[in-house]
Structure formats: structure tokens, C-alpha cells
Amino acid sequence: MTRYHSFSVPYHTLTFLVCFIFIHASPAAADKPTELVDQVCNQTSNYTFCVEALYSDSRTPDADSYTLAFISFGLAYTNANNTTDYYIAELFKNTSSQDYHYRLETCSHDYLRAVSKLEEAYNDLNSETFFGLAELAGIASNASDHCQDTFKGISSPPLESRNGDLKRLCEIGATIAKLFTGSS
Ligand SMILES: *[C@@H]1O[C@H](CO)[C@@H](O)[C@H](O)[C@H]1NC(C)=O
Ligand SMILES: *[C@@H]1O[C@H](CO)[C@@H](O)[C@H](O)[C@H]1NC(C)=O
Ligand SMILES: *[C@@H]1O[C@H](CO)[C@@H](O)[C@H](O)[C@H]1NC(C)=O
Ligand SMILES: *[C@@H]1O[C@H](CO)[C@@H](O)[C@H](O)[C@H]1NC(C)=O
Ligand SMILES: *[C@@H]1O[C@H](CO)[C@@H](O)[C@H](O)[C@H]1NC(C)=O
Ligand SMILES: *[C@@H]1O[C@H](CO)[C@@H](O)[C@H](O)[C@H]1NC(C)=O
């Protein structure tokens, strides 16, 4: 009996320990970005933003670089498309200032340009044409910079966070595009 107990205690302790480790380790493992995501996001200006953006898509945990390219350009496209159609349209309705209106007009053109370039990138991806992707992402990103500059000197510029998001989403797209073309 004494012997039996002396073995059963460590056994249960071990079972408990294994369960404890399993329960506490698994959420951390699920949150850990894939090696590919890690490699891509490590090359961007904001690692956290990059991981969060890519993981907003349920395909990311199983994505190869081709799928990840679709995800990133899709996110940038949706962001730009939405900014044009809903957000800027709202801002126009909300202002009576001529000057503000004029600046918004500039941003509206910038975003239409971004949408069209990102649409082109998406079509390129569909036809597995990779060489122009990084430049298209760059043009879309520059469009967001141009819009940002348009509101320079204005306190709390209206599209600041939208511009920042688009710029960083384009950066992710450009980084992934370089995986295909081998340039860095
Ligand atoms: C992340 O980037 C740093 C330098 O920018 C580099 O030293 C490191 O090896 C990179 N890590 C990965 C996982 O790519
Ligand atoms: C990076 O992105 C995260 C998540 O979007 C944000 O909370 C943080 O402020 C950003 N950091 C910088 C330096 O912009
Ligand atoms: C872009 O916005 C337009 C207008 O709201 C919408 O009809 C279209 O479906 C959007 N495109 C995509 C691919 O979501
Ligand atoms: C785009 O705008 C629509 C309507 O406001 C909204 O329901 C949707 O969540 C937005 N999508 C993104 C990705 O911002
Ligand atoms: C426009 O104004 C309305 C009412 O003041 C406000 O709820 C909405 O958030 C504004 N839209 C934008 C895009 O700033
Ligand atoms: C974006 O703007 C920068 C700075 O003006 C410029 O050097 C770069 O060539 C532009 N990129 C594209 C793709 O137009």
C-alpha cells in the first residue's frame, strides 16, 4: 500500500502538470504568427499592425505566400474602396467650408487612384503576374501620402488614420510582392 501510494502521487502530479501545460500553452501557440507572416511583418514598419491586419482574414494561418498576397492586396483594396465610397462621401456632406471641400476633392482623387492601382494589382495576382505588384502598391501608398499632405497645417486632419492604414497595408503588399520577384 505504501509503495502504491508513493507511485500514485507523482503520477497524478504529472497528469496535472501535463494538463496545466497543455491548457496554458495552446492559446499562445494559436496566437503565434506563422513563420511566413513573421518573416513578412518583420520587414514592415509596424509588426503588430501587420500581424493584426493579416490575421483579420481566416485564411492567414494556412496561407502560402500567394494566398497571403491576395489577402494583403485585398485588405488594401477594401480599405481604399471603403474610404472613397463611404468615408470621404460622408466628409463632403459634413462640410460647408470651400477650402476644406477643395482639399477633400484632392483626397478623393488620390483614393480613386489608389483603388484603381490596387484593382490592377489584384488582376495581376489573378494572372500570376508579379513584377508590377510592388510598384502598384507604392503608387497607392504615395496616394495616401499625397492626401495626408493636402491637409497639412490643419488641426486633426480628417483622413489621418485612414491614410496611415492604407499606407501600411500597401507596405505589407509590397513586402509580399518582393517574395516573388526576389528584390529587396
Ligand atoms: C527581423 O529583422 C531583424 C532586423 O531587421 C533581423 O535581425 C531578424 O533576423 C529578423 N527576424 C526574422 C524572423 O526574420
Ligand atoms: C502599430 O500598430 C498598432 C496596432 O495597429 C498600434 O496600436 C500602434 O500604435 C502602432 N505603432 C506605431 C509606432 O505606429
Ligand atoms: C467597392 O465599393 C463599391 C461601392 O460601394 C461596391 O459596390 C463594390 O462592391 C466594392 N468593391 C468590392 C470589391 O468590395
Ligand atoms: C466598408 O463599409 C461598410 C459600410 O460602411 C462596412 O459595413 C464594412 O465593414 C466596411 N469594410 C471595411 C473593410 O472597412
Ligand atoms: C459627419 O457628421 C455626423 C454628424 O455630426 C457624424 O456623426 C459623422 O461621424 C461625421 N462623419 C464623418 C466621416 O466625420
Ligand atoms: C513614391 O514617392 C516617393 C517619394 O516621392 C518616390 O521616391 C517613389 O518613386 C514613389 N513611388 C512610386 C511607385 O511612385
Side-chain angles (χ1 to χ4, degrees), residues 147-168:
C147 168
Q148 188 60 30
D149 286 348
T150 301
F151 279 94
K152 210 171 241 169
I154 294 224
S155 65
S156 57
L159 287 152
E160 191 162 39
S161 79
R162 291 271 168 167
N163 288 334
D165 285 354
L166 181 58
K167 189 179 169 67
R168 282 179 299 210

Short mmCIF file of all heavy atoms in Angstrom, two decimals, residues 147-168:
data_model
loop_
_atom_site.label_atom_id
_atom_site.label_comp_id
_atom_site.label_asym_id
_atom_site.label_seq_id
_atom_site.Cartn_x
_atom_site.Cartn_y
_atom_site.Cartn_z
N CYS A 147 -2.66 62.65 -50.04
CA CYS A 147 -3.88 63.07 -49.33
C CYS A 147 -3.51 63.63 -47.97
O CYS A 147 -4.02 64.68 -47.55
CB CYS A 147 -4.84 61.89 -49.20
SG CYS A 147 -6.21 62.19 -48.07
N GLN A 148 -2.59 62.97 -47.28
CA GLN A 148 -2.16 63.43 -45.97
C GLN A 148 -1.55 64.83 -46.05
O GLN A 148 -1.85 65.70 -45.25
CB GLN A 148 -1.17 62.42 -45.37
CG GLN A 148 -0.77 62.65 -43.93
CD GLN A 148 -1.97 62.62 -42.98
OE1 GLN A 148 -2.96 61.93 -43.21
NE2 GLN A 148 -1.90 63.38 -41.92
N ASP A 149 -0.72 65.04 -47.07
CA ASP A 149 -0.06 66.34 -47.27
C ASP A 149 -1.07 67.45 -47.56
O ASP A 149 -0.84 68.61 -47.20
CB ASP A 149 0.93 66.27 -48.45
CG ASP A 149 2.19 65.49 -48.09
OD1 ASP A 149 2.39 65.22 -46.89
OD2 ASP A 149 2.97 65.16 -49.01
N THR A 150 -2.15 67.08 -48.22
CA THR A 150 -3.17 68.06 -48.58
C THR A 150 -3.78 68.73 -47.35
O THR A 150 -4.19 69.88 -47.41
CB THR A 150 -4.29 67.34 -49.38
OG1 THR A 150 -3.69 66.77 -50.53
CG2 THR A 150 -5.38 68.29 -49.81
N PHE A 151 -3.82 67.98 -46.26
CA PHE A 151 -4.39 68.54 -45.02
C PHE A 151 -3.33 69.04 -44.05
O PHE A 151 -3.62 69.26 -42.87
CB PHE A 151 -5.31 67.50 -44.36
CG PHE A 151 -6.68 67.45 -44.99
CD1 PHE A 151 -6.96 66.53 -45.98
CD2 PHE A 151 -7.66 68.33 -44.59
CE1 PHE A 151 -8.22 66.49 -46.57
CE2 PHE A 151 -8.92 68.31 -45.18
CZ PHE A 151 -9.21 67.38 -46.17
N LYS A 152 -2.12 69.20 -44.57
CA LYS A 152 -1.03 69.69 -43.72
C LYS A 152 -1.40 71.06 -43.14
O LYS A 152 -1.95 71.90 -43.83
CB LYS A 152 0.25 69.81 -44.56
CG LYS A 152 1.52 69.61 -43.75
CD LYS A 152 2.74 69.51 -44.68
CE LYS A 152 3.44 68.18 -44.54
NZ LYS A 152 4.44 67.95 -45.58
N GLY A 153 -1.11 71.26 -41.86
CA GLY A 153 -1.39 72.55 -41.24
C GLY A 153 -2.78 72.65 -40.66
O GLY A 153 -3.12 73.61 -39.98
N ILE A 154 -3.61 71.65 -40.93
CA ILE A 154 -4.97 71.64 -40.38
C ILE A 154 -4.96 70.79 -39.12
O ILE A 154 -4.42 69.68 -39.13
CB ILE A 154 -5.95 71.04 -41.43
CG1 ILE A 154 -6.01 71.99 -42.63
CG2 ILE A 154 -7.29 70.73 -40.81
CD1 ILE A 154 -7.39 72.25 -43.16
N SER A 155 -5.51 71.31 -38.04
CA SER A 155 -5.52 70.51 -36.81
C SER A 155 -6.52 69.36 -36.96
O SER A 155 -7.58 69.53 -37.56
CB SER A 155 -5.85 71.38 -35.60
OG SER A 155 -7.16 71.85 -35.72
N SER A 156 -6.16 68.20 -36.43
CA SER A 156 -6.88 66.94 -36.59
C SER A 156 -7.38 66.71 -38.02
O SER A 156 -8.57 66.78 -38.31
CB SER A 156 -8.03 66.80 -35.58
OG SER A 156 -8.94 67.87 -35.69
N PRO A 157 -6.42 66.45 -38.94
CA PRO A 157 -6.79 66.17 -40.33
C PRO A 157 -7.74 64.96 -40.40
O PRO A 157 -7.53 63.98 -39.69
CB PRO A 157 -5.46 65.88 -41.01
CG PRO A 157 -4.46 65.66 -39.94
CD PRO A 157 -4.97 66.38 -38.75
N PRO A 158 -8.80 65.04 -41.19
CA PRO A 158 -9.89 64.06 -41.14
C PRO A 158 -9.52 62.65 -41.60
O PRO A 158 -10.13 61.70 -41.15
CB PRO A 158 -10.93 64.66 -42.09
CG PRO A 158 -10.14 65.50 -43.04
CD PRO A 158 -9.04 66.07 -42.22
N LEU A 159 -8.53 62.51 -42.48
CA LEU A 159 -8.27 61.19 -43.03
C LEU A 159 -6.96 60.58 -42.50
O LEU A 159 -6.46 59.60 -43.06
CB LEU A 159 -8.23 61.26 -44.56
CG LEU A 159 -9.60 61.44 -45.21
CD1 LEU A 159 -9.50 62.16 -46.54
CD2 LEU A 159 -10.30 60.10 -45.39
N GLU A 160 -6.45 61.16 -41.45
CA GLU A 160 -5.14 60.74 -40.94
C GLU A 160 -5.03 59.22 -40.68
O GLU A 160 -4.10 58.58 -41.14
CB GLU A 160 -4.80 61.51 -39.67
CG GLU A 160 -3.36 61.33 -39.24
CD GLU A 160 -2.93 62.41 -38.25
OE1 GLU A 160 -3.75 62.79 -37.39
OE2 GLU A 160 -1.80 62.89 -38.37
N SER A 161 -5.98 58.67 -39.94
CA SER A 161 -5.84 57.25 -39.61
C SER A 161 -6.12 56.37 -40.83
O SER A 161 -5.50 55.32 -41.02
CB SER A 161 -6.72 56.87 -38.42
OG SER A 161 -8.04 56.71 -38.83
N ARG A 162 -7.03 56.81 -41.70
CA ARG A 162 -7.29 56.08 -42.95
C ARG A 162 -6.04 56.05 -43.82
O ARG A 162 -5.68 55.04 -44.39
CB ARG A 162 -8.41 56.77 -43.73
CG ARG A 162 -9.75 56.66 -43.08
CD ARG A 162 -10.42 55.40 -43.54
NE ARG A 162 -11.58 55.09 -42.76
CZ ARG A 162 -12.48 54.19 -43.12
NH1 ARG A 162 -12.36 53.54 -44.26
NH2 ARG A 162 -13.50 53.94 -42.35
N ASN A 163 -5.39 57.21 -43.92
CA ASN A 163 -4.17 57.31 -44.72
C ASN A 163 -3.08 56.41 -44.15
O ASN A 163 -2.38 55.72 -44.90
CB ASN A 163 -3.67 58.76 -44.76
CG ASN A 163 -4.54 59.66 -45.61
OD1 ASN A 163 -5.21 59.18 -46.53
ND2 ASN A 163 -4.55 60.95 -45.32
N GLY A 164 -2.95 56.43 -42.84
CA GLY A 164 -1.94 55.59 -42.19
C GLY A 164 -2.21 54.11 -42.42
O GLY A 164 -1.29 53.34 -42.71
N ASP A 165 -3.47 53.72 -42.31
CA ASP A 165 -3.83 52.31 -42.53
C ASP A 165 -3.53 51.89 -43.97
O ASP A 165 -2.95 50.83 -44.21
CB ASP A 165 -5.32 52.08 -42.25
CG ASP A 165 -5.63 52.07 -40.77
OD1 ASP A 165 -4.68 52.12 -39.95
OD2 ASP A 165 -6.83 52.01 -40.41
N LEU A 166 -3.93 52.73 -44.92
CA LEU A 166 -3.71 52.37 -46.32
C LEU A 166 -2.22 52.25 -46.62
O LEU A 166 -1.78 51.30 -47.26
CB LEU A 166 -4.36 53.39 -47.26
CG LEU A 166 -4.20 53.08 -48.76
CD1 LEU A 166 -4.77 51.71 -49.10
CD2 LEU A 166 -4.85 54.15 -49.62
N LYS A 167 -1.47 53.20 -46.10
CA LYS A 167 -0.02 53.20 -46.32
C LYS A 167 0.62 51.90 -45.80
O LYS A 167 1.42 51.27 -46.46
CB LYS A 167 0.58 54.41 -45.60
CG LYS A 167 2.04 54.69 -45.91
CD LYS A 167 2.45 55.95 -45.13
CE LYS A 167 3.95 56.14 -45.16
NZ LYS A 167 4.45 56.45 -46.52
N ARG A 168 0.21 51.51 -44.59
CA ARG A 168 0.80 50.30 -44.00
C ARG A 168 0.30 49.02 -44.66
O ARG A 168 1.03 48.04 -44.75
CB ARG A 168 0.55 50.28 -42.48
CG ARG A 168 1.54 51.22 -41.75
CD ARG A 168 1.32 51.24 -40.28
NE ARG A 168 -0.03 51.73 -39.99
CZ ARG A 168 -0.36 52.41 -38.90
NH1 ARG A 168 0.54 52.66 -37.98
NH2 ARG A 168 -1.59 52.82 -38.71
#
